[in-house]
C-alpha cells in the first residue's frame, strides 16, 4: 500500500496536534514575593518571673551580707579577746604587746555600747596577796592604755585573779609566761558587735 505524501503529512500533523494537546502549558513565572517585615521581638517574659528572680537575688544578697557581718563580728570579738602578756613581776605594757591593745581601740570606738572587763593574772610564784595586787596592777595598766587611746573609762572594768586561774600548768618559764597575762571579756553590748569602718 502506498501512501501519498499528502496523507503522510496529514498524519504527521495530526500526531503533532495530538502531542501538543497532551503537553501542559508552561506555568506563568512566579510573582516576586513582597519583602517581609522583620520578625517581631519575642514578648517579654512575664513580670511574675522577673519579680521572682529579683526576690531570689535580693535574698541571696541579704544572706551574703548577713554572713559578711557575722564574720566581721567574729573577727572583732576575737580581737577584743586577745590577751596581753607581761614580764616577770612587771605590770607595764611591753612594746610587743601594744599592737594587741591598739587593735581593740577601733572596735571599741565603733561599738560605743560595748563594755569590757580586763582580768589580770600572774604566774604561781609569790604569795596570794602579792599576786592579787600584781594582777590588779596589770589589769589597771591595760585600762590606762585603752583610756589614753580614747576609750571611755566607764566602759572598762578591772579585776584580778592573781595566780588562781592559770592558763598553763607547769613549773617552768614556758608555763609561767603564759600565765602572766591580761584577759579581755565583753560584759555588755556585744550582741550586735560590728567591725570598724
Amino acid at each position: 500500500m502506498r501512501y501519498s505524501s499528502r496523507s503522510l503529512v496529514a498524519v504527521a500533523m495530526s500526531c503533532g496536534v495530538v502531542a501538543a494537546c497532551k503537553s501542559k502549558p508552561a506555568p506563568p513565572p512566579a510573582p516576586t514575593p513582597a519583602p517581609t517585615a522583620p520578625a517581631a521581638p519575642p514578648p517579654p517574659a512575664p513580670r511574675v518571673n522577673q519579680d521572682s528572680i529579683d526576690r531570689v537575688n535580693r535574698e541571696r544578697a541579704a544572706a551574703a551580707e548577713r554572713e559578711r557581718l557575722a564574720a566581721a563580728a567574729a573577727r572583732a570579738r576575737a580581737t577584743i579577746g586577745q590577751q596581753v602578756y607581761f614580764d616577770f613581776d612587771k605590770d607595764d605594757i611591753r612594746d610587743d604587746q601594744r599592737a594587741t591593745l591598739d587593735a581593740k581601740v577601733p572596735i571599741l570606738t565603733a561599738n560605743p555600747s560595748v563594755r569590757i572587763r580586763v582580768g589580770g593574772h600572774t604566774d604561781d610564784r609569790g604569795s596570794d596577796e602579792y599576786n592579787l595586787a600584781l594582777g590588779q596592777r596589770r589589769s589597771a595598766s591595760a585600762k590606762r592604755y585603752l583610756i589614753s587611746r580614747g576609750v571611755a573609762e566607764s566602759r572598762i572594768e578591772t579585776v584580778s585573779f592573781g595566780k588562781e586561774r592559770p592558763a598553763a600548768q607547769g613549773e617552768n618559764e614556758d608555763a609561767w609566761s603564759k600565765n602572766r597575762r591580761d584577759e579581755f571579756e565583753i560584759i555588755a553590748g556585744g550582741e550586735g558587735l560590728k567591725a570598724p569602718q
Side-chain angles (χ1 to χ4, degrees), residues 126-146:
S127 69
D128 291 346
E129 295 78 18
Y130 183 83
N131 282 324
L132 280 172
L134 179 58
Q136 188 62 45
R137 289 195 308 272
R138 286 175 174 168
S139 62
S141 183
K143 179 177 181 175
R144 280 192 306 277
Y145 188 92
L146 293 171

Side-chain angles (χ1 to χ4, degrees), residues 55-87:
R55 186 182 76 254
V56 167
N57 287 337
R58 282 192 305 273
E59 288 170 358
R60 283 183 183 159
E65 181 65 7
R66 283 191 301 274
E67 287 178 21
R68 186 188 70 76
L69 291 174
R75 286 190 302 274
R77 188 173 298 281
T79 300
I80 292 291
Q82 287 181 332
Q83 300 176 2
V84 172
Y85 296 93
F86 294 87
D87 288 329

Side-chain angles (χ1 to χ4, degrees), residues 2-14:
R2 288 187 116 190
Y3 295 100
S4 72
S5 60
R6 267 190 179 171
S7 31
L8 282 176
V9 171
V11 169
M13 283 178 81
S14 327

